[in-house]
Amino acid sequence: MTQINAGVSFKGRLPQIVGQAALAASVLAGGASLLNAGGAMAADCLGTNGNKFDLITLTPAPPSIACSSPVGGNNFLVTIDTDFPSPGELPGPASGKTEFSIESKHGHFIKVLLDSDFDTPSGTVTKTLWADAGFTTPILTSPSPLVSNSGSSTGFVDIIGTYKKIYVRDAYVVNAGGQLDNYTNTFEVVPGPLPILGAGAAFGFSRKLRSR
């Protein structure tokens, strides 16, 4: 089995809504720790306000999959980065899929965005969402499925239904002459009140910043 990279990797282009400053804030605030879970890899993404997302990789080879939250300072966003390992891009022709589950310990998921980074634009990534581990019950988005063509972003689209746990299948195709670096999923959960501990921690951190 291929070893999953235990670090948060951001080699490729993040979704277009997140700039360089947002990336720095995301990396500092939301690390990923990986645990062995019976052959699958689990990662906790903990936001500064107590939001928590659990990521379990179902098909670990060949890329690495890591999560980060908050994104751009938004505690209700989580980004899943699927990155192909060194020396870099996956050359075409090639095809495959990655599957993972993402669970919110806070609100249910309301939106999803798919973005990809083809260094030589020639290929697609197609995302489908499912309600079960057997990938038999689809979760609809508007539109369905989501397709990122040659590095395009789908923008945020609505997830139909109220799901706190989602199974994700991303199928990629790299055409001859193309090179795929990475692709990213960004999920949004319904905003809610700050957990008491999370709110206190955020307040204490803001006071430290002001004192500096």
Side-chain angles (χ1 to χ4, degrees), residues 151-171:
S152 64
S153 170
T154 64
F156 277 105
V157 302
D158 293 330
I159 295 174
I160 299 173
T162 55
Y163 298 92
K164 298 187 75 171
K165 186 172 185 178
I166 292 176
Y167 293 83
V168 181
R169 174 178 288 157
D170 291 325

Side-chain angles (χ1 to χ4, degrees), residues 17-172:
I17 60 166
V18 183
Q20 295 295 328
L23 171 58
S26 177
V27 172
L28 289 173
S33 61
L34 299 186
L35 302 172
N36 196 323
M41 302 301 291
D44 291 340
C45 295
L46 185 61
T48 54
N49 70 345
N51 278 348
K52 182 180 178 182
F53 302 92
D54 286 345
L55 167 71
I56 296 181
T57 303
L58 305 175
T59 53
S64 64
I65 299 179
C67 61
S68 182
S69 179
V71 179
N74 188 332
N75 295 295
F76 302 103
L77 294 177
V78 58
T79 286
I80 313 301
D81 181 26
T82 301
D83 196 11
F84 291 87
S86 261
E89 300 79 7
L90 175 68
S95 63
K97 67 180 180 181
T98 52
E99 296 173 338
F100 62 87
S101 67
I102 179 74
E103 183 174 10
S104 169
K105 301 299 185 179
H106 188 66
H108 64 271
F109 294 102
I110 56 175
K111 292 182 183 294
V112 61
L113 176 150
L114 173 63
D115 198 5
S116 62
D117 185 2
F118 285 84
D119 287 347
T120 303
S122 184
T124 60
V125 180
T126 301
K127 164 183 301 307
T128 50
L129 306 180
W130 307 80
D132 63 311
F135 293 86
T136 60
T137 306
I139 296 174
L140 296 180
T141 57
S142 181
S144 289
L146 296 182
V147 180
S148 175
N149 288 299
S150 299
S152 64
S153 170
T154 64
F156 277 105
V157 302
D158 293 330
I159 295 174
I160 299 173
T162 55
Y163 298 92
K164 298 187 75 171
K165 186 172 185 178
I166 292 176
Y167 293 83
V168 181
R169 174 178 288 157
D170 291 325
Y172 56 86

